[in-house]
Amino acid sequence: MASDRPRVLSGIQPTAGSFHLGNYLGAVRQWVALQESHDAFYMVVDLHAITVPQDPKELRANTRLAAAQLLAAGLDPQRCTLFVQSHVPEHAQLAWVMNCLTGFGEASRMTQFKDKASRHGADRASVGLFTYPVLQVADILLYQADQVPVGEDQRQHVELTRDLAERFNGRFGDTFTVPQPYILKETAKIFDLQDPSIKMSKSASTPKGVVSLLDEPKATAKKVKSAVTDTGSEIVYDAENKPGVSNLLSIYSTLTGTGIAELEQKYTGKGYGALKTDLAEVMVDFVTPFRDRTQQYLDDPETLDQILAKGAEKARAVAAETLAETYDKVGFVPAKH
Ligand code: TRP
């Protein structure tokens, strides 16, 4: 693997079930692009998933499902390292060391924790949820990642990673690369098809407003055709006054690479119906092969598990080295073999 390329590392929770169009265009598609220019490590973060209660069967199924969808989306195990977090025990091991370096108050200031804890009720929030960001720090530092491609909501966790890397380096000598956030610009913000004032998201949106990539293609076509549009009939991009049509235009543009202006021209004098019919077709052409490829991996779990085993092996080679150096710097007596 070319190691002169900058290294990126990112993770995705295995709790989402089917990816939706927003996930895909916001993050996964950019992960796929980064494997061409970077030394990329991507993982399914099952350790993070159990910070809130999980059904074991569902967790196992969703972990394989997330990996299958990442592969279906174009991650190529020859070009990147794709693995499951729990397959690399060094994550939990380094997290312990990082926990001991993190201030209680510092951890208490993490806004995602505060949000989630208030949602679950402070008494029911686990200590694991509290130290979630520290595990993420370990994820990143183990691989000496230069950049961390994440959404804006994860910026604070990357800042914590930088702080802890610098703290460790300062106290014990240079050990960790201090990573940069690589905030994924929302190339196009994708909104709910039924309520274009909110972002397309599993938790916030209505089922009819979210395009799940694993839905029956027919159901997807139907969702597009029944998307909310605006008063008037002209097809122009105007996010303020025509949020529905603008959303459809940006989805169309992002999926096909056609500029918005070009689309506006193409639909001059045509009605919303024409745009929706065409976009439904574009969407069906996109989801059909994605769904088929995902299904192929799910139908052959042995092959899928083998891909993940190889990924874990590559990941471990890097992680074990970093952990050994960390243990040594901290002052642990080396275990003789
Ligand atoms: N917390 C991230 C999220 O919810 C997932 C994650 C876990 C992650 N470990 C990571 C992202 C390491 C980047 C790097 O999106």
Side-chain angles (χ1 to χ4, degrees):
M1 186 166 297
S3 51
D4 48 346
R5 298 173 169 197
R7 181 168 289 166
V8 289
L9 174 130
S10 198
I12 191 164
Q13 291 236 26
T15 44
S18 172
F19 291 174
H20 63 71
L21 195 65
N23 299 137
Y24 173 76
L25 293 175
V28 176
R29 201 167 73 144
Q30 303 188 60
W31 286 17
V32 174
L34 283 168
Q35 65 184 346
E36 306 303 336
S37 51
H38 288 65
D39 180 15
F41 284 71
Y42 299 124
M43 64 185 162
V44 180
V45 294
D46 53 351
L47 298 178
H48 279 106
I50 65 163
T51 55
V52 297
Q54 298 293 333
D55 174 76
K57 270 207 197 95
E58 272 174 37
L59 177 60
R60 194 157 15 248
N62 277 334
T63 301
R64 289 202 177 98
L65 180 59
Q69 290 180 92
L70 290 171
L71 291 163
L75 287 190
D76 175 356
Q78 308 297 328
R79 292 189 160 77
C80 71
T81 304
L82 172 65
F83 64 103
V84 174
Q85 189 185 27
S86 66
H87 290 177
V88 180
E90 284 80 3
H91 290 259
Q93 293 174 293
L94 185 64
W96 179 253
V97 176
M98 291 297 147
N99 272 319
C100 296
L101 222 70
T102 309
F104 194 85
E106 189 175 33
S108 308
R109 286 193 292 275
M110 294 293 120
T111 54
Q112 195 170 54
F113 167 74
K114 290 195 278 187
D115 288 352
K116 283 193 189 174
S118 67
R119 244 182 289 145
H120 293 270
D123 283 342
R124 276 207 254 140
S126 67
V127 174
L129 190 64
F130 184 64
T131 65
Y132 176 117
V134 183
L135 177 59
Q136 185 168 348
V137 168
D139 294 342
I140 297 166
L141 297 184
L142 270 180
Y143 298 94
Q144 309 286 8
D146 299 297
Q147 291 160 356
V148 187
V150 284
E152 182 61 43
D153 65 326
Q154 296 296 308
R155 186 189 286 278
Q156 198 185 28
H157 294 166
V158 181
E159 287 306 323
L160 179 68
T161 308
R162 292 171 55 83
D163 289 347
L164 289 174
E166 279 167 1
R167 192 172 307 160
F168 189 100
N169 290 347
R171 206 171 289 180
F172 300 103
D174 242 2
T175 308
F176 297 114
T177 303
V178 180
Q180 300 283 345
Y182 180 103
I183 301 298
L184 298 169
K185 359 153 197 57
E186 307 213 31
T187 33
K189 230 181 189 171
I190 307 300
F191 296 95
D192 187 289
L193 294 180
Q194 290 299 315
D195 178 0
S197 70
I198 57 173
K199 228 172 109 164
M200 187 182 285
S201 110
K202 260 257 166 75
S203 48
S205 307
T206 55
K208 278 183 74 184
V210 179
V211 176
S212 287
L213 299 189
L214 297 178
D215 278 355
E216 278 283 347
K218 268 195 204 131
T220 297
K222 206 166 150 200
K223 278 184 190 177
V224 174
K225 287 185 184 159
S226 54
V228 162
T229 36
D230 317 285
T231 49
S233 62
E234 239 193 313
I235 297 179
V236 288
Y237 189 93
D238 176 352
E240 199 152 311
N241 300 309
K242 290 185 160 251
V245 171
S246 301
N247 189 34
L248 297 182
L249 283 172
S250 58
I251 294 172
Y252 197 141
S253 166
T254 317
L255 279 178
T256 59
T258 317
I260 299 271
E262 201 177 318
L263 288 174
E264 285 172 339
Q265 209 161 46
K266 178 173 168 190
Y267 289 100
T268 317
K270 295 187 184 155
Y272 294 156
L275 172 64
K276 286 182 175 179
T277 303
D278 291 354
L279 178 57
E281 203 180 301
V282 165
M283 209 87 107
V284 166
D285 287 349
F286 170 70
V287 296
T288 305
F290 176 84
R291 194 168 175 261
D292 292 348
R293 281 195 299 268
T294 302
Q295 197 54 50
Q296 279 169 19
Y297 287 110
L298 296 178
D299 288 343
D300 184 2
E302 238 164 81
T303 301
L304 179 62
D305 287 357
Q306 231 155 42
I307 292 173
L308 295 173
K310 283 222 177 95
E313 202 182 308
K314 282 203 280 176
R316 251 198 118 168
V318 179
E321 195 181 320
T322 309
L323 185 75
E325 191 184 342
T326 309
Y327 270 21
D328 180 56
K329 292 258 172 73
V330 165
F332 293 162
V333 173
K336 286 283 175 223
H337 298 290

